[in-house]
Amino acid sequence: MLRWRLLLMVMAGMTTARNVSQPDVNPQCEGLPECEEPWLIHVVATGNNDSIHHLWGIHGAPSFLVVTTSLDTGLNVTWTDFIKFSPLSVTFDEKPIHIFGFSIPNLILFDDTDDSGTLDNSTEPYIVVPMTNFYWEIKEVFNESTRESAVLMETTKFQDKPLPMETKISFQIAAYGLEGRSTVLPHLLRTPNSAQFDMVLDHLVLNLNTTDDEILMEVKETTDISGFKKARWAMDLIIFSSEPLNEEEKGIEFSTEKSLDDENTPGVFHLDQITTKLARTTKQGGYMQWRPVSYLSSDRDINLSTDPNIDGNFTSLTEISIALEESLAYAVFGDKLESAMTAQTKVSFGQKKDKFYAAKTTPHGLLALDMDRHQRKLSPRW
């Protein structure tokens, strides 16, 4: 098991509380077979003077957006165009004040031959796994009065073949109406303008070198996955914003802050974040924030953890891949995704001597896949 948590936020109007709606799965979708898959989940957080629309889409490249609009602005989905991957098929009654978010078009399995924990495309063997290979289902929807809404989504198929219950990718995402901290590690500080995102790679041991039905590999006391002796997972990350930029201006940037206080996240003394230009220069804009730690068990013990390593040298998006073209982000932005408002990078998971993405508990005690994990219900305290 590998867990990574981050917050996705916008700096919207000053408010201490928002009313959060129940998750609306595939709003306005009627009579289409595609409505069975979670193409779009919509949650509205209403303040005194504006609304924040949380849009979560899992088809193609999983995409997660925070959209600030004027009060009572409605969402419009042209489903016949949306399911055909047409640009601008998801719109609003009025032009949004601000849009910020991210997409994950690919996972990457790589052979960390030098045990660095980071992916070096020039020297290390790797296999790109498009997220279009996975089929998803919503496992649970949670709504606590008007202050929190959440969904749990999990993969059920890979390349149209059913996955065993323990082999999955899970996304847990929640929108909040009040400021506070999560009661589970890493205790990130959330606001009424934020969404919390958790990603779990659980028993993700796949044979990517076969064309037959033997997609799943036998779980052994080894880190050998798809022929890689020192296997780790990474992912492509696309970050986008609606903020206009001149060519010479810096848009989306990565930074890290040091702290002497680890009270909320024991053993972690840094806070990483990705910010837009407006977030750095004004009280507007959007940003992503996380503690640089990935837990390797459901206990979230710092002694069973590794690092999420982000490449801080962001580059412009020069091509819209098939996964992105089929995504919610493309339905909202269209070809504007391929612009100065969008940045791309990679996040790899691992650190030196952590025994890689192991299949079972190793003699050294590192648990990379939680063999005792059971299905659990979402909690208002997660």
Side-chain angles (χ1 to χ4, degrees), residues 161-177:
K161 298 177 178 64
L163 292 169
M165 182 177 295
E166 71 275 9
T167 300
K168 68 189 73 171
I169 305 170
S170 301
F171 291 150
Q172 300 177 27
I173 188 161
Y176 298 98

Side-chain angles (χ1 to χ4, degrees), residues 265-285:
T265 313
V268 181
F269 294 91
H270 293 82
L271 181 69
D272 291 348
Q273 59 185 10
I274 294 172
T275 54
T276 66
K277 176 194 170 186
L278 287 180
R280 297 190 300 273
T281 59
T282 70
K283 294 184 178 180
Q284 300 178 14

Side-chain angles (χ1 to χ4, degrees), residues 312-329:
N313 298 314
F314 293 178
T315 58
S316 298
L317 184 66
T318 57
E319 181 181 0
I320 296 178
S321 66
I322 292 176
L324 275 177
E325 194 174 80
E326 295 182 5
S327 73
L328 172 62

Side-chain angles (χ1 to χ4, degrees), residues 40-42 53-57 63-65 67 75 92 328 332:
L40 171 60
I41 301 165
H42 181 214
H53 298 257
H54 298 274
L55 304 182
W56 309 327
S63 302
F64 307 91
L65 294 79
V67 183
L75 174 73
F92 293 86
L328 172 62
V332 173

Side-chain angles (χ1 to χ4, degrees), residues 159-211:
Q159 296 179 353
D160 292 327
K161 298 177 178 64
L163 292 169
M165 182 177 295
E166 71 275 9
T167 300
K168 68 189 73 171
I169 305 170
S170 301
F171 291 150
Q172 300 177 27
I173 188 161
Y176 298 98
L178 292 174
E179 183 174 307
R181 287 190 183 274
S182 170
T183 58
V184 299
L185 290 170
H187 299 310
L188 294 176
L189 179 64
R190 57 205 186 201
T191 76
N193 302 334
S194 70
Q196 181 174 281
F197 171 86
D198 280 58
M199 181 180 75
V200 180
L201 305 184
D202 198 356
H203 287 75
L204 202 62
V205 182
L206 304 174
N207 185 359
L208 302 174
N209 296 320
T210 183
T211 57

Side-chain angles (χ1 to χ4, degrees), residues 214-226:
E214 299 299 323
I215 294 296
L216 296 172
M217 298 184 65
E218 181 182 354
V219 178
K220 301 177 180 179
E221 296 277 356
T222 178
T223 59
D224 189 328
I225 304 176
S226 296

Side-chain angles (χ1 to χ4, degrees), residues 237-369:
L237 184 66
I238 310 296
I239 309 106
F240 39 79
S241 166
S242 62
E243 297 174 19
L245 291 172
N246 298 321
E247 291 186 2
E248 65 277 6
E249 289 182 314
K250 291 184 177 181
I252 296 169
E253 291 188 342
F254 169 76
S255 62
T256 185
E257 298 178 359
K258 294 183 179 180
S259 172
L260 297 176
D261 182 10
D262 69 339
E263 177 184 358
N264 293 303
T265 313
V268 181
F269 294 91
H270 293 82
L271 181 69
D272 291 348
Q273 59 185 10
I274 294 172
T275 54
T276 66
K277 176 194 170 186
L278 287 180
R280 297 190 300 273
T281 59
T282 70
K283 294 184 178 180
Q284 300 178 14
Y287 61 102
M288 295 163 57
Q289 195 173 79
W290 66 94
R291 291 284 185 177
V293 60
S294 296
Y295 297 103
L296 302 177
S297 77
S298 55
D299 295 334
R300 296 178 183 261
D301 186 345
I302 189 63
N303 296 308
L304 295 174
S305 66
T306 194
D307 296 336
N309 305 297
I310 188 166
D311 184 351
N313 298 314
F314 293 178
T315 58
S316 298
L317 184 66
T318 57
E319 181 181 0
I320 296 178
S321 66
I322 292 176
L324 275 177
E325 194 174 80
E326 295 182 5
S327 73
L328 172 62
Y330 186 70
V332 173
F333 278 93
D335 293 332
K336 288 185 178 180
L337 270 182
E338 195 175 345
S339 69
M341 300 182 294
T342 303
Q344 60 180 346
T345 187
K346 287 180 171 56
V347 181
S348 52
F349 299 94
Q351 63 185 11
K352 197 173 184 65
K353 296 183 179 181
D354 68 358
K355 302 301 178 183
F356 312 102
Y357 189 86
K360 295 182 72 175
T361 305
T362 70
H364 297 275
L366 180 71
L367 184 65
L369 290 174

